[in-house]
Amino acid sequence: MEVLAMLRQLIGQVKQLLELQASSSSSSSSSSLVAVAPNISFHLQTPPLIHLPRCYFLNLDDNSAEDSCYNIIMTAGKSENLKMLEPGKPPPKKKARKERNQGKVTGTSCSIENLDQQIWKEFPEDLFEAVVARLPVTTFFRFRLVCRKWNSMLTSQSFSEQCAQVPQPQPWFYTITHENVNTGAMYDPTLKKWHHPTIPALPTKLIVLPVASAGGLVCFLDIGHRSFYVCNPLTRSFKELPARSVKVWSRVAVGMTLCGKSAGGGYNILWVGCDGEFEVYDSRNNSWARPGIMSSNIKLPLALNFKSQTVSIGSKLYFMRSDPDGIVSYDMVTGVWKQFIIPGPLHLSDHTLAECGGRIMLVGLLTKNAATCVCIWELQKMTLLWKEVDRMPNIWCLEFYGKHVRMTCLGNKGLLMLSLRSRQMNRLVTYDFSSREWMKVPGCVLPRGRKRQWIACGTAFHPCLTAVA
């Protein structure tokens, strides 16, 4: 009842106020309101707060105003973010990070351009060459296009000394494809990318194959076994070796070693035939020589395994032979031949020698019934026996089941590249001896072609910018 009485009293006061307002003139309406109702007071309670989300939209409509349709976008707690949008225009979109950073990048580039040129003029030349020598090979070739001075670093003796101090990178692979025997394809395992160099000096009327490498240089032999060539595939430094004193028309095995720590100190090339004939080329006097004869305890004829590449460790070269199974070695310094009888693993085919950190390794296909797998063995120096140390993952080997698979080794210097092929497949894989990691190699496709190339042969070489043939 008390609430009802208060409500009636309030309604009466409002009516009285409205009557007084209607009777008074418009000019004195405001003053009369103050004078007549001094005792009227409205006790209005503040409505309870409603907790809204942090970001919300408020639409304020006022029919009496001309600009009645403005939208206000507010962010709670941030009055400076209040923005008035004209009618019909959508809210502003968030800028991409690239657009927001564009101004910062512009400012940074301007500050770089304003650097004192005197600082770079006084930059030590030896320190500059030390930095450049440690750049990746592909980066250096883009770098040398800047000016003639940087391009001339390839012929600088001081730059060559800086490159000799840098640890050897992972080997690259120089290969020949079946359909383009006169042009090579180089694979960079670090970037997993194929390069297609052109070596104009190589003869185009002959099929020339890579057979050995040392110090960044690759040794080529024509398919008729008549002429040798040495080339740096990166810089196109090329040299045709003089004619051999011994005419050999049969197949030969070839090995290559350095006379010093780098190709600048010279290199030697050895070829050996099945009948025991051999010669050694010395780049320091640019001539072939026969330093001696093969030891009498080595069984002739040599049943050389030409599918196996030569392994070089220091000044020694190792060749794989059969009948009897084993290894034949030659020391470039002492000129001594040795033979080691080493029985091969059972069910082995398409095997080849490899080298890792001074250790002699063996890689080959192990086939039993219809199952085929690629296995890795290490030669035990004390027992002269092969010990299996790794094999290809089983899930990869399942692809070979029931297929007549053939394997070709395209490089055997710490990092293997193997070509595995049959009528139904053609696979390229690499194997890192140090990390025991198997990797699939992307297909080799010519720059303007789409067809995947079949790799015929190849060799591994350590890329060197300063090696001269």
Side-chain angles (χ1 to χ4, degrees), residues 170 173 356 361 363 374-377 389-393 396 411-418 429-441:
Q170 270 196 325
F173 299 93
C356 177
M361 315 295 290
V363 56
V374 181
C375 295
I376 309 294
W377 293 268
V389 293
D390 203 1
R391 62 172 54 194
M392 182 178 284
W396 288 20
N412 60 352
K413 298 179 183 297
L415 184 68
L416 289 176
M417 177 183 276
L418 305 175
V429 298
T430 59
Y431 176 76
D432 192 330
F433 284 106
S434 58
S435 63
R436 295 190 175 185
E437 184 179 14
W438 298 87
M439 295 288 292
K440 292 184 178 180
V441 177

PDB file of all heavy atoms in Angstrom, residues 170 173 356 361 363 374-377 389-393 396 411-418 429-441:
ATOM      1  N   GLN A 170      79.815 -31.145 -48.402  1.00  0.00           N
ATOM      2  CA  GLN A 170      79.302 -32.408 -48.917  1.00  0.00           C
ATOM      3  C   GLN A 170      79.622 -32.523 -50.403  1.00  0.00           C
ATOM      4  O   GLN A 170      79.562 -31.532 -51.139  1.00  0.00           O
ATOM      5  CB  GLN A 170      77.787 -32.493 -48.712  1.00  0.00           C
ATOM      6  CG  GLN A 170      77.368 -33.103 -47.396  1.00  0.00           C
ATOM      7  CD  GLN A 170      75.920 -33.511 -47.393  1.00  0.00           C
ATOM      8  OE1 GLN A 170      75.083 -32.849 -47.990  1.00  0.00           O
ATOM      9  NE2 GLN A 170      75.596 -34.589 -46.702  1.00  0.00           N
ATOM     10  N   PHE A 173      77.566 -34.435 -57.238  1.00  0.00           N
ATOM     11  CA  PHE A 173      77.620 -35.574 -58.152  1.00  0.00           C
ATOM     12  C   PHE A 173      77.529 -35.061 -59.592  1.00  0.00           C
ATOM     13  O   PHE A 173      76.611 -34.313 -59.934  1.00  0.00           O
ATOM     14  CB  PHE A 173      76.479 -36.548 -57.864  1.00  0.00           C
ATOM     15  CG  PHE A 173      76.511 -37.119 -56.482  1.00  0.00           C
ATOM     16  CD1 PHE A 173      75.801 -36.520 -55.455  1.00  0.00           C
ATOM     17  CD2 PHE A 173      77.258 -38.238 -56.188  1.00  0.00           C
ATOM     18  CE1 PHE A 173      75.828 -37.033 -54.172  1.00  0.00           C
ATOM     19  CE2 PHE A 173      77.299 -38.760 -54.909  1.00  0.00           C
ATOM     20  CZ  PHE A 173      76.583 -38.154 -53.898  1.00  0.00           C
ATOM     21  N   CYS A 356      84.724 -43.726 -46.492  1.00  0.00           N
ATOM     22  CA  CYS A 356      84.198 -42.766 -45.530  1.00  0.00           C
ATOM     23  C   CYS A 356      85.207 -42.605 -44.398  1.00  0.00           C
ATOM     24  O   CYS A 356      85.443 -43.564 -43.640  1.00  0.00           O
ATOM     25  CB  CYS A 356      82.845 -43.218 -44.981  1.00  0.00           C
ATOM     26  SG  CYS A 356      82.182 -42.121 -43.711  1.00  0.00           S
ATOM     27  N   MET A 361      84.493 -49.172 -47.504  1.00  0.00           N
ATOM     28  CA  MET A 361      83.136 -49.668 -47.379  1.00  0.00           C
ATOM     29  C   MET A 361      82.749 -50.431 -48.647  1.00  0.00           C
ATOM     30  O   MET A 361      83.394 -50.305 -49.706  1.00  0.00           O
ATOM     31  CB  MET A 361      82.146 -48.518 -47.144  1.00  0.00           C
ATOM     32  CG  MET A 361      82.594 -47.492 -46.117  1.00  0.00           C
ATOM     33  SD  MET A 361      82.737 -48.130 -44.439  1.00  0.00           S
ATOM     34  CE  MET A 361      81.005 -48.397 -44.054  1.00  0.00           C
ATOM     35  N   VAL A 363      79.096 -51.516 -50.830  1.00  0.00           N
ATOM     36  CA  VAL A 363      77.655 -51.379 -50.988  1.00  0.00           C
ATOM     37  C   VAL A 363      77.223 -52.269 -52.142  1.00  0.00           C
ATOM     38  O   VAL A 363      77.913 -52.354 -53.166  1.00  0.00           O
ATOM     39  CB  VAL A 363      77.244 -49.903 -51.221  1.00  0.00           C
ATOM     40  CG1 VAL A 363      77.972 -49.308 -52.414  1.00  0.00           C
ATOM     41  CG2 VAL A 363      75.743 -49.770 -51.409  1.00  0.00           C
ATOM     42  N   VAL A 374      69.321 -53.228 -50.386  1.00  0.00           N
ATOM     43  CA  VAL A 374      70.630 -52.575 -50.494  1.00  0.00           C
ATOM     44  C   VAL A 374      71.301 -52.629 -49.123  1.00  0.00           C
ATOM     45  O   VAL A 374      70.730 -52.176 -48.127  1.00  0.00           O
ATOM     46  CB  VAL A 374      70.492 -51.123 -50.973  1.00  0.00           C
ATOM     47  CG1 VAL A 374      71.871 -50.476 -51.104  1.00  0.00           C
ATOM     48  CG2 VAL A 374      69.759 -51.051 -52.301  1.00  0.00           C
ATOM     49  N   CYS A 375      72.511 -53.173 -49.068  1.00  0.00           N
ATOM     50  CA  CYS A 375      73.226 -53.337 -47.795  1.00  0.00           C
ATOM     51  C   CYS A 375      74.566 -52.612 -47.835  1.00  0.00           C
ATOM     52  O   CYS A 375      75.149 -52.405 -48.909  1.00  0.00           O
ATOM     53  CB  CYS A 375      73.446 -54.813 -47.487  1.00  0.00           C
ATOM     54  SG  CYS A 375      71.902 -55.723 -47.204  1.00  0.00           S
ATOM     55  N   ILE A 376      75.046 -52.241 -46.651  1.00  0.00           N
ATOM     56  CA  ILE A 376      76.319 -51.547 -46.474  1.00  0.00           C
ATOM     57  C   ILE A 376      77.207 -52.401 -45.574  1.00  0.00           C
ATOM     58  O   ILE A 376      76.775 -52.861 -44.507  1.00  0.00           O
ATOM     59  CB  ILE A 376      76.125 -50.151 -45.838  1.00  0.00           C
ATOM     60  CG1 ILE A 376      75.071 -49.344 -46.591  1.00  0.00           C
ATOM     61  CG2 ILE A 376      77.453 -49.405 -45.792  1.00  0.00           C
ATOM     62  CD1 ILE A 376      75.446 -48.971 -48.000  1.00  0.00           C
ATOM     63  N   TRP A 377      78.447 -52.627 -46.019  1.00  0.00           N
ATOM     64  CA  TRP A 377      79.429 -53.365 -45.220  1.00  0.00           C
ATOM     65  C   TRP A 377      80.673 -52.505 -44.989  1.00  0.00           C
ATOM     66  O   TRP A 377      80.965 -51.595 -45.783  1.00  0.00           O
ATOM     67  CB  TRP A 377      79.870 -54.645 -45.930  1.00  0.00           C
ATOM     68  CG  TRP A 377      78.804 -55.686 -46.081  1.00  0.00           C
ATOM     69  CD1 TRP A 377      78.521 -56.711 -45.228  1.00  0.00           C
ATOM     70  CD2 TRP A 377      77.887 -55.823 -47.171  1.00  0.00           C
ATOM     71  NE1 TRP A 377      77.493 -57.480 -45.715  1.00  0.00           N
ATOM     72  CE2 TRP A 377      77.086 -56.959 -46.913  1.00  0.00           C
ATOM     73  CE3 TRP A 377      77.672 -55.092 -48.354  1.00  0.00           C
ATOM     74  CZ2 TRP A 377      76.087 -57.381 -47.779  1.00  0.00           C
ATOM     75  CZ3 TRP A 377      76.667 -55.504 -49.208  1.00  0.00           C
ATOM     76  CH2 TRP A 377      75.878 -56.641 -48.912  1.00  0.00           C
ATOM     77  N   VAL A 389      76.939 -53.170 -41.665  1.00  0.00           N
ATOM     78  CA  VAL A 389      76.729 -52.085 -40.704  1.00  0.00           C
ATOM     79  C   VAL A 389      75.392 -51.386 -40.899  1.00  0.00           C
ATOM     80  O   VAL A 389      74.923 -50.693 -39.996  1.00  0.00           O
ATOM     81  CB  VAL A 389      77.881 -51.050 -40.798  1.00  0.00           C
ATOM     82  CG1 VAL A 389      79.189 -51.662 -40.324  1.00  0.00           C
ATOM     83  CG2 VAL A 389      78.026 -50.498 -42.214  1.00  0.00           C
ATOM     84  N   ASP A 390      74.764 -51.551 -42.045  1.00  0.00           N
ATOM     85  CA  ASP A 390      73.475 -50.885 -42.269  1.00  0.00           C
ATOM     86  C   ASP A 390      72.835 -51.468 -43.516  1.00  0.00           C
ATOM     87  O   ASP A 390      73.507 -52.117 -44.333  1.00  0.00           O
ATOM     88  CB  ASP A 390      73.665 -49.369 -42.417  1.00  0.00           C
ATOM     89  CG  ASP A 390      72.388 -48.595 -42.101  1.00  0.00           C
ATOM     90  OD1 ASP A 390      71.372 -49.247 -41.750  1.00  0.00           O
ATOM     91  OD2 ASP A 390      72.392 -47.361 -42.210  1.00  0.00           O
ATOM     92  N   ARG A 391      71.544 -51.217 -43.649  1.00  0.00           N
ATOM     93  CA  ARG A 391      70.823 -51.603 -44.855  1.00  0.00           C
ATOM     94  C   ARG A 391      69.646 -50.664 -45.060  1.00  0.00           C
ATOM     95  O   ARG A 391      69.207 -49.981 -44.134  1.00  0.00           O
ATOM     96  CB  ARG A 391      70.362 -53.051 -44.803  1.00  0.00           C
ATOM     97  CG  ARG A 391      69.381 -53.407 -43.705  1.00  0.00           C
ATOM     98  CD  ARG A 391      68.852 -54.840 -43.877  1.00  0.00           C
ATOM     99  NE  ARG A 391      69.908 -55.813 -43.983  1.00  0.00           N
ATOM    100  CZ  ARG A 391      69.723 -57.070 -44.401  1.00  0.00           C
ATOM    101  NH1 ARG A 391      68.498 -57.469 -44.720  1.00  0.00           N
ATOM    102  NH2 ARG A 391      70.737 -57.914 -44.463  1.00  0.00           N
ATOM    103  N   MET A 392      69.144 -50.652 -46.276  1.00  0.00           N
ATOM    104  CA  MET A 392      68.042 -49.766 -46.621  1.00  0.00           C
ATOM    105  C   MET A 392      66.795 -50.134 -45.813  1.00  0.00           C
ATOM    106  O   MET A 392      66.566 -51.308 -45.527  1.00  0.00           O
ATOM    107  CB  MET A 392      67.759 -49.858 -48.125  1.00  0.00           C
ATOM    108  CG  MET A 392      66.656 -48.939 -48.628  1.00  0.00           C
ATOM    109  SD  MET A 392      66.421 -49.052 -50.422  1.00  0.00           S
ATOM    110  CE  MET A 392      67.834 -48.098 -50.990  1.00  0.00           C
ATOM    111  N   PRO A 393      65.969 -49.127 -45.431  1.00  0.00           N
ATOM    112  CA  PRO A 393      64.745 -49.442 -44.677  1.00  0.00           C
ATOM    113  C   PRO A 393      63.864 -50.455 -45.413  1.00  0.00           C
ATOM    114  O   PRO A 393      63.752 -50.433 -46.639  1.00  0.00           O
ATOM    115  CB  PRO A 393      64.053 -48.080 -44.551  1.00  0.00           C
ATOM    116  CG  PRO A 393      65.152 -47.075 -44.673  1.00  0.00           C
ATOM    117  CD  PRO A 393      66.157 -47.668 -45.599  1.00  0.00           C
ATOM    118  N   TRP A 396      61.231 -49.366 -47.944  1.00  0.00           N
ATOM    119  CA  TRP A 396      61.722 -49.024 -49.279  1.00  0.00           C
ATOM    120  C   TRP A 396      62.006 -50.283 -50.086  1.00  0.00           C
ATOM    121  O   TRP A 396      61.765 -50.322 -51.290  1.00  0.00           O
ATOM    122  CB  TRP A 396      62.983 -48.178 -49.173  1.00  0.00           C
ATOM    123  CG  TRP A 396      62.749 -46.776 -48.702  1.00  0.00           C
ATOM    124  CD1 TRP A 396      61.660 -46.298 -48.017  1.00  0.00           C
ATOM    125  CD2 TRP A 396      63.620 -45.666 -48.863  1.00  0.00           C
ATOM    126  NE1 TRP A 396      61.796 -44.971 -47.743  1.00  0.00           N
ATOM    127  CE2 TRP A 396      63.007 -44.550 -48.249  1.00  0.00           C
ATOM    128  CE3 TRP A 396      64.873 -45.495 -49.433  1.00  0.00           C
ATOM    129  CZ2 TRP A 396      63.587 -43.288 -48.220  1.00  0.00           C
ATOM    130  CZ3 TRP A 396      65.466 -44.240 -49.399  1.00  0.00           C
ATOM    131  CH2 TRP A 396      64.827 -43.143 -48.807  1.00  0.00           C
ATOM    132  N   GLY A 411      78.571 -42.258 -57.035  1.00  0.00           N
ATOM    133  CA  GLY A 411      79.463 -41.478 -56.188  1.00  0.00           C
ATOM    134  C   GLY A 411      79.728 -42.223 -54.901  1.00  0.00           C
ATOM    135  O   GLY A 411      78.805 -42.806 -54.310  1.00  0.00           O
ATOM    136  N   ASN A 412      80.970 -42.257 -54.454  1.00  0.00           N
ATOM    137  CA  ASN A 412      81.338 -43.106 -53.312  1.00  0.00           C
ATOM    138  C   ASN A 412      82.262 -42.413 -52.329  1.00  0.00           C
ATOM    139  O   ASN A 412      83.066 -43.054 -51.677  1.00  0.00           O
ATOM    140  CB  ASN A 412      82.005 -44.386 -53.820  1.00  0.00           C
ATOM    141  CG  ASN A 412      83.282 -44.113 -54.618  1.00  0.00           C
ATOM    142  OD1 ASN A 412      83.602 -42.969 -54.920  1.00  0.00           O
ATOM    143  ND2 ASN A 412      84.006 -45.166 -54.953  1.00  0.00           N
ATOM    144  N   LYS A 413      82.152 -41.081 -52.177  1.00  0.00           N
ATOM    145  CA  LYS A 413      83.046 -40.332 -51.289  1.00  0.00           C
ATOM    146  C   LYS A 413      82.265 -39.798 -50.089  1.00  0.00           C
ATOM    147  O   LYS A 413      81.837 -38.651 -50.081  1.00  0.00           O
ATOM    148  CB  LYS A 413      83.707 -39.184 -52.051  1.00  0.00           C
ATOM    149  CG  LYS A 413      84.582 -39.624 -53.215  1.00  0.00           C
ATOM    150  CD  LYS A 413      85.184 -38.414 -53.932  1.00  0.00           C
ATOM    151  CE  LYS A 413      86.005 -38.838 -55.141  1.00  0.00           C
ATOM    152  NZ  LYS A 413      87.163 -39.653 -54.779  1.00  0.00           N
ATOM    153  N   GLY A 414      82.063 -40.645 -49.082  1.00  0.00           N
ATOM    154  CA  GLY A 414      81.367 -40.213 -47.876  1.00  0.00           C
ATOM    155  C   GLY A 414      79.867 -40.129 -48.034  1.00  0.00           C
ATOM    156  O   GLY A 414      79.120 -40.339 -47.084  1.00  0.00           O
ATOM    157  N   LEU A 415      79.407 -39.803 -49.224  1.00  0.00           N
ATOM    158  CA  LEU A 415      77.983 -39.736 -49.535  1.00  0.00           C
ATOM    159  C   LEU A 415      77.745 -40.530 -50.804  1.00  0.00           C
ATOM    160  O   LEU A 415      78.315 -40.230 -51.854  1.00  0.00           O
ATOM    161  CB  LEU A 415      77.542 -38.278 -49.716  1.00  0.00           C
ATOM    162  CG  LEU A 415      76.048 -38.051 -49.945  1.00  0.00           C
ATOM    163  CD1 LEU A 415      75.247 -38.397 -48.695  1.00  0.00           C
ATOM    164  CD2 LEU A 415      75.789 -36.599 -50.357  1.00  0.00           C
ATOM    165  N   LEU A 416      76.922 -41.556 -50.702  1.00  0.00           N
ATOM    166  CA  LEU A 416      76.628 -42.411 -51.852  1.00  0.00           C
ATOM    167  C   LEU A 416      75.454 -41.860 -52.639  1.00  0.00           C
ATOM    168  O   LEU A 416      74.501 -41.320 -52.060  1.00  0.00           O
ATOM    169  CB  LEU A 416      76.277 -43.828 -51.396  1.00  0.00           C
ATOM    170  CG  LEU A 416      77.382 -44.727 -50.836  1.00  0.00           C
ATOM    171  CD1 LEU A 416      76.765 -46.031 -50.365  1.00  0.00           C
ATOM    172  CD2 LEU A 416      78.439 -44.993 -51.890  1.00  0.00           C
ATOM    173  N   MET A 417      75.503 -42.016 -53.951  1.00  0.00           N
ATOM    174  CA  MET A 417      74.310 -41.855 -54.775  1.00  0.00           C
ATOM    175  C   MET A 417      74.140 -43.142 -55.566  1.00  0.00           C
ATOM    176  O   MET A 417      75.049 -43.561 -56.284  1.00  0.00           O
ATOM    177  CB  MET A 417      74.391 -40.659 -55.725  1.00  0.00           C
ATOM    178  CG  MET A 417      73.157 -40.557 -56.617  1.00  0.00           C
ATOM    179  SD  MET A 417      73.209 -39.214 -57.817  1.00  0.00           S
ATOM    180  CE  MET A 417      72.641 -37.861 -56.811  1.00  0.00           C
ATOM    181  N   LEU A 418      72.967 -43.746 -55.429  1.00  0.00           N
ATOM    182  CA  LEU A 418      72.689 -45.033 -56.056  1.00  0.00           C
ATOM    183  C   LEU A 418      71.530 -44.886 -57.022  1.00  0.00           C
ATOM    184  O   LEU A 418      70.511 -44.244 -56.707  1.00  0.00           O
ATOM    185  CB  LEU A 418      72.356 -46.086 -54.999  1.00  0.00           C
ATOM    186  CG  LEU A 418      73.388 -46.283 -53.882  1.00  0.00           C
ATOM    187  CD1 LEU A 418      72.861 -47.273 -52.858  1.00  0.00           C
ATOM    188  CD2 LEU A 418      74.717 -46.751 -54.456  1.00  0.00           C
ATOM    189  N   VAL A 429      68.683 -42.589 -54.948  1.00  0.00           N
ATOM    190  CA  VAL A 429      68.733 -42.394 -53.494  1.00  0.00           C
ATOM    191  C   VAL A 429      70.158 -42.041 -53.099  1.00  0.00           C
ATOM    192  O   VAL A 429      71.122 -42.371 -53.798  1.00  0.00           O
ATOM    193  CB  VAL A 429      68.274 -43.653 -52.728  1.00  0.00           C
ATOM    194  CG1 VAL A 429      66.837 -43.986 -53.050  1.00  0.00           C
ATOM    195  CG2 VAL A 429      69.178 -44.835 -53.016  1.00  0.00           C
ATOM    196  N   THR A 430      70.298 -41.363 -51.978  1.00  0.00           N
ATOM    197  CA  THR A 430      71.609 -41.077 -51.400  1.00  0.00           C
ATOM    198  C   THR A 430      71.683 -41.711 -50.015  1.00  0.00           C
ATOM    199  O   THR A 430      70.666 -41.889 -49.331  1.00  0.00           O
ATOM    200  CB  THR A 430      71.871 -39.564 -51.284  1.00  0.00           C
ATOM    201  OG1 THR A 430      70.853 -38.972 -50.458  1.00  0.00           O
ATOM    202  CG2 THR A 430      71.880 -38.915 -52.654  1.00  0.00           C
ATOM    203  N   TYR A 431      72.909 -42.022 -49.618  1.00  0.00           N
ATOM    204  CA  TYR A 431      73.148 -42.578 -48.284  1.00  0.00           C
ATOM    205  C   TYR A 431      74.352 -41.875 -47.678  1.00  0.00           C
ATOM    206  O   TYR A 431      75.433 -41.840 -48.269  1.00  0.00           O
ATOM    207  CB  TYR A 431      73.410 -44.089 -48.349  1.00  0.00           C
ATOM    208  CG  TYR A 431      73.760 -44.684 -47.009  1.00  0.00           C
ATOM    209  CD1 TYR A 431      72.778 -44.900 -46.047  1.00  0.00           C
ATOM    210  CD2 TYR A 431      75.081 -45.027 -46.690  1.00  0.00           C
ATOM    211  CE1 TYR A 431      73.101 -45.446 -44.803  1.00  0.00           C
ATOM    212  CE2 TYR A 431      75.405 -45.571 -45.460  1.00  0.00           C
ATOM    213  CZ  TYR A 431      74.403 -45.777 -44.517  1.00  0.00           C
ATOM    214  OH  TYR A 431      74.730 -46.303 -43.293  1.00  0.00           O
ATOM    215  N   ASP A 432      74.146 -41.287 -46.495  1.00  0.00           N
ATOM    216  CA  ASP A 432      75.203 -40.586 -45.767  1.00  0.00           C
ATOM    217  C   ASP A 432      75.815 -41.549 -44.754  1.00  0.00           C
ATOM    218  O   ASP A 432      75.129 -42.020 -43.831  1.00  0.00           O
ATOM    219  CB  ASP A 432      74.617 -39.360 -45.060  1.00  0.00           C
ATOM    220  CG  ASP A 432      75.704 -38.430 -44.530  1.00  0.00           C
ATOM    221  OD1 ASP A 432      76.796 -38.928 -44.190  1.00  0.00           O
ATOM    222  OD2 ASP A 432      75.470 -37.207 -44.477  1.00  0.00           O
ATOM    223  N   PHE A 433      77.101 -41.869 -44.931  1.00  0.00           N
ATOM    224  CA  PHE A 433      77.757 -42.812 -44.035  1.00  0.00           C
ATOM    225  C   PHE A 433      77.819 -42.299 -42.604  1.00  0.00           C
ATOM    226  O   PHE A 433      77.695 -43.077 -41.651  1.00  0.00           O
ATOM    227  CB  PHE A 433      79.180 -43.112 -44.536  1.00  0.00           C
ATOM    228  CG  PHE A 433      79.228 -44.042 -45.707  1.00  0.00           C
ATOM    229  CD1 PHE A 433      79.519 -43.556 -46.971  1.00  0.00           C
ATOM    230  CD2 PHE A 433      79.000 -45.392 -45.554  1.00  0.00           C
ATOM    231  CE1 PHE A 433      79.572 -44.402 -48.064  1.00  0.00           C
ATOM    232  CE2 PHE A 433      79.051 -46.250 -46.637  1.00  0.00           C
ATOM    233  CZ  PHE A 433      79.333 -45.755 -47.892  1.00  0.00           C
ATOM    234  N   SER A 434      78.045 -40.998 -42.429  1.00  0.00           N
ATOM    235  CA  SER A 434      78.230 -40.464 -41.078  1.00  0.00           C
ATOM    236  C   SER A 434      76.928 -40.455 -40.282  1.00  0.00           C
ATOM    237  O   SER A 434      76.911 -40.794 -39.097  1.00  0.00           O
ATOM    238  CB  SER A 434      78.821 -39.049 -41.147  1.00  0.00           C
ATOM    239  OG  SER A 434      77.973 -38.191 -41.894  1.00  0.00           O
ATOM    240  N   SER A 435      75.829 -40.069 -40.906  1.00  0.00           N
ATOM    241  CA  SER A 435      74.539 -39.996 -40.209  1.00  0.00           C
ATOM    242  C   SER A 435      73.662 -41.217 -40.431  1.00  0.00           C
ATOM    243  O   SER A 435      72.605 -41.335 -39.800  1.00  0.00           O
ATOM    244  CB  SER A 435      73.767 -38.747 -40.659  1.00  0.00           C
ATOM    245  OG  SER A 435      73.468 -38.811 -42.043  1.00  0.00           O
ATOM    246  N   ARG A 436      74.093 -42.116 -41.353  1.00  0.00           N
ATOM    247  CA  ARG A 436      73.318 -43.315 -41.700  1.00  0.00           C
ATOM    248  C   ARG A 436      71.900 -42.946 -42.130  1.00  0.00           C
ATOM    249  O   ARG A 436      70.914 -43.559 -41.700  1.00  0.00           O
ATOM    250  CB  ARG A 436      73.279 -44.297 -40.532  1.00  0.00           C
ATOM    251  CG  ARG A 436      74.645 -44.872 -40.164  1.00  0.00           C
ATOM    252  CD  ARG A 436      74.524 -46.011 -39.178  1.00  0.00           C
ATOM    253  NE  ARG A 436      75.830 -46.622 -38.915  1.00  0.00           N
ATOM    254  CZ  ARG A 436      76.010 -47.703 -38.163  1.00  0.00           C
ATOM    255  NH1 ARG A 436      74.965 -48.290 -37.594  1.00  0.00           N
ATOM    256  NH2 ARG A 436      77.204 -48.207 -37.979  1.00  0.00           N
ATOM    257  N   GLU A 437      71.815 -41.957 -42.959  1.00  0.00           N
ATOM    258  CA  GLU A 437      70.513 -41.452 -43.405  1.00  0.00           C
ATOM    259  C   GLU A 437      70.322 -41.736 -44.888  1.00  0.00           C
ATOM    260  O   GLU A 437      71.187 -41.444 -45.706  1.00  0.00           O
ATOM    261  CB  GLU A 437      70.411 -39.946 -43.133  1.00  0.00           C
ATOM    262  CG  GLU A 437      69.064 -39.353 -43.473  1.00  0.00           C
ATOM    263  CD  GLU A 437      68.983 -37.871 -43.168  1.00  0.00           C
ATOM    264  OE1 GLU A 437      70.051 -37.254 -42.937  1.00  0.00           O
ATOM    265  OE2 GLU A 437      67.871 -37.325 -43.160  1.00  0.00           O
ATOM    266  N   TRP A 438      69.161 -42.306 -45.227  1.00  0.00           N
ATOM    267  CA  TRP A 438      68.775 -42.548 -46.610  1.00  0.00           C
ATOM    268  C   TRP A 438      67.851 -41.425 -47.057  1.00  0.00           C
ATOM    269  O   TRP A 438      66.934 -41.034 -46.335  1.00  0.00           O
ATOM    270  CB  TRP A 438      68.057 -43.891 -46.738  1.00  0.00           C
ATOM    271  CG  TRP A 438      68.881 -45.085 -46.368  1.00  0.00           C
ATOM    272  CD1 TRP A 438      69.039 -45.613 -45.126  1.00  0.00           C
ATOM    273  CD2 TRP A 438      69.664 -45.894 -47.250  1.00  0.00           C
ATOM    274  NE1 TRP A 438      69.874 -46.697 -45.159  1.00  0.00           N
ATOM    275  CE2 TRP A 438      70.271 -46.912 -46.459  1.00  0.00           C
ATOM    276  CE3 TRP A 438      69.910 -45.884 -48.627  1.00  0.00           C
ATOM    277  CZ2 TRP A 438      71.100 -47.882 -47.001  1.00  0.00           C
ATOM    278  CZ3 TRP A 438      70.730 -46.850 -49.162  1.00  0.00           C
ATOM    279  CH2 TRP A 438      71.320 -47.834 -48.367  1.00  0.00           C
ATOM    280  N   MET A 439      68.099 -40.918 -48.256  1.00  0.00           N
ATOM    281  CA  MET A 439      67.275 -39.830 -48.789  1.00  0.00           C
ATOM    282  C   MET A 439      66.930 -40.123 -50.246  1.00  0.00           C
ATOM    283  O   MET A 439      67.774 -40.604 -51.005  1.00  0.00           O
ATOM    284  CB  MET A 439      68.014 -38.489 -48.699  1.00  0.00           C
ATOM    285  CG  MET A 439      68.291 -38.012 -47.289  1.00  0.00           C
ATOM    286  SD  MET A 439      66.810 -37.450 -46.431  1.00  0.00           S
ATOM    287  CE  MET A 439      66.445 -35.978 -47.382  1.00  0.00           C
ATOM    288  N   LYS A 440      65.701 -39.807 -50.625  1.00  0.00           N
ATOM    289  CA  LYS A 440      65.303 -39.928 -52.018  1.00  0.00           C
ATOM    290  C   LYS A 440      65.722 -38.670 -52.777  1.00  0.00           C
ATOM    291  O   LYS A 440      65.619 -37.556 -52.269  1.00  0.00           O
ATOM    292  CB  LYS A 440      63.799 -40.139 -52.134  1.00  0.00           C
ATOM    293  CG  LYS A 440      63.342 -41.484 -51.597  1.00  0.00           C
ATOM    294  CD  LYS A 440      61.853 -41.701 -51.817  1.00  0.00           C
ATOM    295  CE  LYS A 440      61.429 -43.076 -51.310  1.00  0.00           C
ATOM    296  NZ  LYS A 440      59.977 -43.316 -51.517  1.00  0.00           N
ATOM    297  N   VAL A 441      66.188 -38.862 -54.000  1.00  0.00           N
ATOM    298  CA  VAL A 441      66.676 -37.760 -54.842  1.00  0.00           C
ATOM    299  C   VAL A 441      65.587 -37.386 -55.835  1.00  0.00           C
ATOM    300  O   VAL A 441      64.985 -38.277 -56.460  1.00  0.00           O
ATOM    301  CB  VAL A 441      67.970 -38.175 -55.579  1.00  0.00           C
ATOM    302  CG1 VAL A 441      68.446 -37.066 -56.502  1.00  0.00           C
ATOM    303  CG2 VAL A 441      69.054 -38.536 -54.567  1.00  0.00           C
TER     304      VAL A 441
END
